[in-house]
């Protein structure tokens, strides 16, 4: 055959082959476009493992009606202008190849409208040939339907795997992007069946529960570390959970899902000595670093990236994961006290605990920024020394409200929770006080308003006998004449309590303890005194703060003396109670 130039159709098929390997590649490119368009909702549905049809709809920017044809032209993009821009890519797409490639090997219908336009556009393309282009009414955003993929490239069609395999690849892609963008609501539907749906709450934990299931999520810890300008955030499995393949290692670099065996290796290495050989952890890990530190233009499907300093990235990953894993303490929970079974199923939500974690970090998981965006204020995070997050002991709970000024109602992935505000706060404060005392000799104190009360001889003797424990917990009781005492200072946590009432309650407690050592009882007493009372109306912020702390309390289900802090009713139980057949 003499040398000749290939015609456009053949060139298009060759190029398409690089980008669009299988139905999941189409899903990936369309999902990336939806995310680049700023969508808050992305709906993916496929029929026949994507071979019959793939539809991705979004509520993003839409395409201007005079640009719809351009969108399908090779090397036409709205995301890049000059060559220099390649050094600082902020979008998932930039090559202007995907739509052209997809359109050359399938039948495409585009429906799109920009919010500023009154009518939208509908474009039909068949194997790269434009069939119709008309003005139509359509919601703002974009709906792309891809039918009969590879109908004109039989070789490619033949190499597709069984439906089950292709469906798995599709689910994998959507899962990856759902994990990378927790504030976007994703739905995946295959052959009319909903595979999963994420709430778009901005919390990676919520996405993991939907995509991986609560049972897996229970064995994961949050990691959050900034190391030499590199943010590592996400969840990794504790050594109690592993897999024989690397199918559940999701790594995102600046919001882009990447398959990089060196990154997976760095991650797996962090489990040295904790996992049997050949086992792999489960992880959803976002790495955020300045865009100029990473080259994303190395792979046609943009699945690989190159780092300016790879060893720094590996170091950051290993340090983040290792810190979280070494902080784990697999002490088991005290068994729940026997008694009436007031709550059901909740014990299944217990996770390994971490009693050594720093205080005050309990709420940092409620970040709402996309996990891959660098933190807005780096000064908030000590460089090179991230605080390991305490593991969750309860899933993320969304507060619905308060009833009887006593209970907080919340919703979680596993149903409804009714939280006793006083008991929950007592459990949280008890844990905080224990942690404070492990770091310092005494609890912080505050001076009291003038007060003095009469005491009996026995009470005076008890005060003397337990003086050391009282001092450690921040109660400075001084004799004030022969039969009366004054409380000079009290623990800072009890701020706002009336000192006379406090010391009266204290004396009652000491009398109950008698001669036995009372430091544990005193600790619990202090937590109870400081805790919000039943009957107290709580602002939404206060409820949120309390519940966020409870979610990471090492023993969230009971006060130390066994009083339940919450009742749980699963979605199934609720449905059963209402005799719903579809529950
Ligand atoms: P790239 O994403 O690399 O720019 P594509 O071929 O995937 O190339 O898309 C071409 C162009 O079409 C994009 O640059 C964008 O302007 C537009 N586009 C594609 N999909 C969407 C969408 N879902 N919403 C808004 N614009 C889109
Ligand atoms: Mg694109």
């Amino acid at each position: 055959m003499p040398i000749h130039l290939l015609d456009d159709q053949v060139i298009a098929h060759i190029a398409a082959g690089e980008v669009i390997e299988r139905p999941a590649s189409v899903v990936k490119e369309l999902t990336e476009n939806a995310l680049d368009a700023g969508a808050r909702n992305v709906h993916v549905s496929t029929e026949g493992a994507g071979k019959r049809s793939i539809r991705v709809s979004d509520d993003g920017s839409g395409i201007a009606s005079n640009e719809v044809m351009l969108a399908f032209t090779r090397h036409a993009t709205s995301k890049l202008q000059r060559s220099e821009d390649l050094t600082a890519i902020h979008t998932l797409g930039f090559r202007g190849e995907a739509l052209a490639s997809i359109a050359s090997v399938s039948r495409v219908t585009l429906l799109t409208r920009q919010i500023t336009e009154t009518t939208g556009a509908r474009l039909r393309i068949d194997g790269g040939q434009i069939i119709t282009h008309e003005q139509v009414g359509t919601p703002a955003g974009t709906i792309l339907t891809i039918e009969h993929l590879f109908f004109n490239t039989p070789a490619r069609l033949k190499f597709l795997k069984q439906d089950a395999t292709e469906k798995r690849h599709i689910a994998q892609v959507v899962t990856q992007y759902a994990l990378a963008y927790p504030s976007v609501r994703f739905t995946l539907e295959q052959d009319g069946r909903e595979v999963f749906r994420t709430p778009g709450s901005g919390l990676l934990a919520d996405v993991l529960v939907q995509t991986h299931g609560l049972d897996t999520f229970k064995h994961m810890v949050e990691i959050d570390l900034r190391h030499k300008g590199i943010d590592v955030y996400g969840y990794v499995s504790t050594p109690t959970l592993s897999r024989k393949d690397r199918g559940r290692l999701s790594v995102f670099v600046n919001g882009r899902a990447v398959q990089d065996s060196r990154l997976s290796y760095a991650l797996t290495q962090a489990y040295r000595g904790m996992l049997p050989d050949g086992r792999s952890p489960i992880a959803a890990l976002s790495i955020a670093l300045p865009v100029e530190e990473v080259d994303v233009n190395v792979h046609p499907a943009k699945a690989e990236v190159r780092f300016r300093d790879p060893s720094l990235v590996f170091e950051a990953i290993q340090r983040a994961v290792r810190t979280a894993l070494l902080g784990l303490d697999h002490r088991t929970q005290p068994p729940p006290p026997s008694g009436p079974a007031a709550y059901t199923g909740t014990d299944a939500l217990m996770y390994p605990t971490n009693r050594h974690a720093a205080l005050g970090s309990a709420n940092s998981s409620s970040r709402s920024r996309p996990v891959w965006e660098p933190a807005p204020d780096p000064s908030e995070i000590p460089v090179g020394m991230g605080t390991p997050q305490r593991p969750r002991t309860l899933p993320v709970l969304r507060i619905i409200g308060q009833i009887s000024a006593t209970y907080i109602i919340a919703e979680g992935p596993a149903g409804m929770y009714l939280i006793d505000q006083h008991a929950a706060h007592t459990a949280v404060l008890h844990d905080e006080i224990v942690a404070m005392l492990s770091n310092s000799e005494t609890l912080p104190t505050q001076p009291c308003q003038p007060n003095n009360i009469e005491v009996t001889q026995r009470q005076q003797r008890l005060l003397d006998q337990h003086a050391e424990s009282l001092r450690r917990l921040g109660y400075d009781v001084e004799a004030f004449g022969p039969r009366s005492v004054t409380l000079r200072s009290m623990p800072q946590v009890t701020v706002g309590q009336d000192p006379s009432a406090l010391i009266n309650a204290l004396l009652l407690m000491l009398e109950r303890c008698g001669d036995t050592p009372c430091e544990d009882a005193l600790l619990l007493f202090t937590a109870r005194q400081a805790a919000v009372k039943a009957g107290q109306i709580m602002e939404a912020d206060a409820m949120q703060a309390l519940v966020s702390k409870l979610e990471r309390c090492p023993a969230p289900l009971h006060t130390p003396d066994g009083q339940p802090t919450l009742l749980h009713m699963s979605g199934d139980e609720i449905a059963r109670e209402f005799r719903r057949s579809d529950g």
Side-chain angles (χ1 to χ4, degrees), residues 26-36 42 44 56 177 186:
V26 174
V27 172
K28 171 177 187 288
E29 295 295 338
L30 300 186
T31 303
E32 289 190 352
N33 281 347
L35 291 167
D36 280 346
V42 178
V44 179
V56 176
Y177 280 102
F186 279 89

Side-chain angles (χ1 to χ4, degrees), residues 63-65 112-114 116-121 134-138:
I63 305 175
S65 51
T112 188
R113 180 169 69 83
Q114 286 196 325
T116 48
E117 295 192 294
T118 43
T119 49
E134 56 204 333
Q135 288 201 334
V136 291
T138 176

Side-chain angles (χ1 to χ4, degrees), residues 31 35 42 171-188 196-208 210-212 250 252 255 257 284 286 371-372:
T31 303
L35 291 167
V42 178
Q172 173 104 354
V173 165
V174 185
T175 299
Q176 301 276 30
Y177 280 102
L179 290 169
Y181 293 80
S183 50
V184 175
R185 292 229 284 274
F186 279 89
T187 323
L188 171 65
F196 69 82
R197 170 189 294 267
T198 66
S201 63
L203 298 175
L204 179 57
D206 284 349
V207 182
L208 278 167
Q210 297 307 320
T211 55
H212 289 49
S250 306
F252 311 104
S286 281
V371 294
W372 55 277

Side-chain angles (χ1 to χ4, degrees), residues 33-34 37 58 61-63 71 76-79 93-99 142:
N33 281 347
D58 69 59
S61 65
I63 305 175
T77 177
S78 55
K79 302 168 192 174
F94 55 88
R95 303 167 67 101
E97 274 187 334
L99 291 187
T142 303

